[in-house]
Amino acid sequence: LPDDPDDPDDPDDPDDPDDPDDPDALRDLVRALMAERALQAAHIAQQEQALRLRDDTIARLEMTLAKLQRWRFGRRSEQLPSPQMTL
């Protein structure tokens, strides 16, 4: 079959924007991939920051809970009845 100049799947088409040998197309592809990577890196950094904030909040709440438990239960459980104090 002769080459059809309008065939979109023709690998030798010089006007094919997806031609892997076209320097301009390769540059555009690299730029697009770099932009996508930058967006992903920003998203990852945002997620890491959210995780740090969550972990800090959990740690702070655990400390508050431990403090409240000591305040609420510590004295009562640590106090001995007076007959035991004499032993």
Side-chain angles (χ1 to χ4, degrees):
L1 289 173
D3 287 339
D4 181 7
D6 296 325
D7 182 10
D9 296 325
D10 181 10
D12 298 323
D13 183 7
D15 297 327
D16 183 9
D18 296 326
D19 182 9
D21 295 327
D22 179 21
D24 291 332
L26 290 173
R27 270 192 286 281
D28 291 343
L29 178 61
V30 168
R31 286 186 185 117
L33 290 173
M34 289 174 65
E36 182 179 341
R37 185 185 179 286
L39 287 174
Q40 289 173 344
H43 181 71
I44 289 169
Q46 184 181 21
Q47 293 296 319
E48 288 173 344
Q49 182 180 5
L51 288 173
R52 281 191 300 273
L53 178 62
R54 183 206 63 188
D55 291 345
D56 291 346
T57 301
I58 289 171
R60 189 176 65 252
L61 290 172
E62 286 175 339
M63 288 175 32
T64 301
L65 181 60
K67 186 177 181 180
L68 290 172
Q69 286 174 333
R70 281 191 308 273
W71 175 76
R72 173 66 177 96
F73 301 110
R75 289 185 188 153
R76 186 173 297 162
S77 64
E78 292 176 6
Q79 290 179 348
L80 297 174
S82 55
Q84 289 183 344
M85 295 289 279
T86 59
L87 293 175

